[in-house]
């Protein structure tokens, strides 16, 4: 993936394309004693991203949005070419909320991976970060090298951006919780663990999964077993799939599962709300619509209890 030559669209806010230019901007914020909120994205901005930016704007004096499609979190069989164009005017100026951001960080691949980058882990060179014992469950089952790429690039972004607070959507709950643990285990000064915020977000494109997860959540709250809860969620997806097939749309369920929010281990089939007690539970699912893979997740219980 090469982004060595591109033309930036007009923008009312600073577009910073190098680590050096961003650090100059960040030093001024340090000198002025201003807090900096950070919303990392891979482009294709939607309302979920905008809600994260809005939260950051409300809680920080400055807000930085990054746009970077990270090659390291895609396996060799996953086609980066299917990602939307990174640097369109729509993406960097979408919505009044994003226009209120203080800066947008748009690093090149060679800036983020100075030793080069391959999507094949066996041929990669240079420094990478892994989360042992936490990255093979849930999303990691379908995408075994995904979280290695995520925690590596977020470590790089945190080192460059040095945010006071960082904001991640609850839709990607496993990723957000891993990043909280990353900050805790590696003793990050910016941001500290408690300053990695997980914000509920919604997207119209994932309503089918969300509806299914809500059915499972209701069943769980009513004391039904984990297996029954998952079965009810799957039945919702089956109905949607049947209608989609009539409309000529190919839909395939990847998984719907319930996991412990601390270990990410799958709950026992017979587990229920009473047996689990006050421990927060993650309900998550992934669904293929054609060649697009959609994910969503919700937390049942007190999110504030997780990784403190």
């Amino acid at each position: 993936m090469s982004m060595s030559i591109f033309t930036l669209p007009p923008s009312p806010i600073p577009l910073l394309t190098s680590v050096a230019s961003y650090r100059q901007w960040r030093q001024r914020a340090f000198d002025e004693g201003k807090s900096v909120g950070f919303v990392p994205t891979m482009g294709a901005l939607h309302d979920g991203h905008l809600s994260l930016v809005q939260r950051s704007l409300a809680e920080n004096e400055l807000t930085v949005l990054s746009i970077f499609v990270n090659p390291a979190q895609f396996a060799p069989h996953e086609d980066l070419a299917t990602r939307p164009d990174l640097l369109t005017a729509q993406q960097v100026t979408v919505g009044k909320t994003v226009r209120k951001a203080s800066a947008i960080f748009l690093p090149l691949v060679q800036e983020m991976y100075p030793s080069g980058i391959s999507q094949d882990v066996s041929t990669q060179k240079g420094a990478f970060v892994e989360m042992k014992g936490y990255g093979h469950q849930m999303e990691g089952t379908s995408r075994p090298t995904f979280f290695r790429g995520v925690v590596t690039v977020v470590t790089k972004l945190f080192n460059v951006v040095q945010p006071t607070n960082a904001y991640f959507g609850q839709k990607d709950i496993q990723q957000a919780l891993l990043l909280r643990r990353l900050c805790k285990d590696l003793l990050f000064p910016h941001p500290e663990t408690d300053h990695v915020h997980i914000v509920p977000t919604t997207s119209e494109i994932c309503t089918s999964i969300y509806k299914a997860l809500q059915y499972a959540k209701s069943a769980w709250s009513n004391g039904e077993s984990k297996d029954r809860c998952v079965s009810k969620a799957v039945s919702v997806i089956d109905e949607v799939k049947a209608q989609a097939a009539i409309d000529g749309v190919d839909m395939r369920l990847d998984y719907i599962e319930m996991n412990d929010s601390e270990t990410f281990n799958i709950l026992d089939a017979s587990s229920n709300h009473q047996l689990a007690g006050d421990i927060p539970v993650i309900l998550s699912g992934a669904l293929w619509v054609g060649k697009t893979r959609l994910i969503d997740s919700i937390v049942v219980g007190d999110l504030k209890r997780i990784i403190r």
Side-chain angles (χ1 to χ4, degrees):
M1 179 182 180
S2 176
M3 293 291 297
S4 57
I5 300 175
F6 59 85
T7 301
L8 289 173
S11 172
I13 59 177
L15 302 178
L16 309 172
T17 60
S18 69
V19 171
S21 63
Y22 175 82
R23 284 180 169 158
Q24 288 179 352
W25 181 92
R26 184 65 178 94
Q27 187 58 54
R28 289 195 294 272
F30 273 129
D31 293 342
E32 295 169 4
K34 292 183 176 179
S35 60
V36 173
F38 178 43
V39 179
T41 81
M42 293 206 299
L45 302 180
H46 52 70
D47 287 345
H49 293 121
L50 302 188
S51 66
L52 298 178
V53 173
Q54 198 163 32
R55 172 77 176 267
S56 178
L57 289 167
E59 297 180 354
N60 303 276
E61 293 164 283
L62 301 172
T63 290
V64 175
L65 178 86
S66 70
I67 299 177
F68 179 69
V69 178
N70 176 32
Q73 66 194 63
F74 292 87
H77 68 278
E78 295 177 315
D79 188 2
L80 275 173
T82 63
R83 291 290 307 178
D85 182 19
L86 180 61
L87 294 169
T88 65
Q90 183 271 335
Q91 287 176 6
V92 297
T93 61
V94 64
K96 294 180 180 179
T97 301
V98 169
R99 290 194 189 106
K100 294 178 183 177
S102 311
I104 294 179
F105 182 43
L106 293 156
L108 300 173
V109 171
Q110 51 265 45
E111 283 269 335
M112 298 301 290
Y113 292 96
S115 297
I117 184 63
S118 164
Q119 288 175 248
D120 184 349
V121 171
S122 67
T123 64
Q124 289 176 351
K125 297 180 180 179
F128 292 84
V129 183
E130 294 190 22
M131 293 293 292
K132 293 294 187 181
Y134 294 99
H136 62 280
Q137 309 94 326
M138 297 170 62
E139 276 295 283
T141 302
S142 299
R143 307 178 72 187
T145 63
F146 174 69
F147 288 114
R148 181 179 186 268
V150 169
V151 296
T152 295
V153 78
V154 173
T155 296
K156 291 169 179 278
L157 287 169
F158 281 172
N159 281 338
V160 175
V161 175
Q162 298 191 55
T164 312
N165 296 284
Y167 299 86
F168 298 90
Q170 185 174 302
K171 180 176 70 71
D172 302 310
I173 186 65
Q174 184 181 14
Q175 172 177 297
L177 292 176
L178 281 175
L179 296 177
R180 229 184 227 180
R181 184 174 293 279
L182 173 76
C183 292
K184 181 178 182 180
D185 288 353
L186 296 188
L187 309 178
F188 273 51
H190 302 287
E192 297 178 356
T193 305
D194 288 352
H195 291 179
V196 177
H197 303 282
I198 302 171
V199 181
T201 56
T202 59
S203 174
E204 288 297 320
I205 202 167
C206 292
T207 53
S208 298
I209 304 176
Y210 183 76
K211 180 180 177 181
L213 297 182
Q214 287 296 328
Y215 268 73
K217 178 181 179 181
S218 178
W220 180 257
S221 298
N222 290 332
E224 297 194 43
S225 69
K226 173 254 182 175
D227 260 10
R228 285 286 299 159
C229 296
V230 171
S231 293
K232 289 193 172 185
V234 171
S235 67
V236 172
I237 296 297
D238 286 342
E239 291 179 10
V240 175
K241 284 170 57 181
Q243 182 58 52
I246 294 173
D247 296 335
V249 178
D250 177 34
M251 296 182 69
R252 293 173 289 119
L253 180 64
D254 191 340
Y255 71 88
I256 288 180
E257 196 51 270
M258 300 181 70
N259 299 71
D260 183 287
S261 59
E262 181 71 21
T263 65
F264 298 145
N265 290 336
I266 296 173
L267 298 186
D268 293 336
S270 59
S271 182
N272 58 35
H273 178 60
Q274 288 77 15
L275 293 174
D278 295 330
I279 299 174
V281 171
I282 298 173
L283 269 164
S284 63
L287 177 70
W288 286 95
V289 180
K291 294 183 178 181
T292 302
R293 187 170 180 271
L294 310 176
I295 66 170
D296 206 349
S297 59
I298 57 177
V299 176
V300 183
D302 185 4
L303 188 64
K304 294 179 181 178
R305 293 191 55 188
I306 307 173
I307 308 181
R308 282 301 190 207

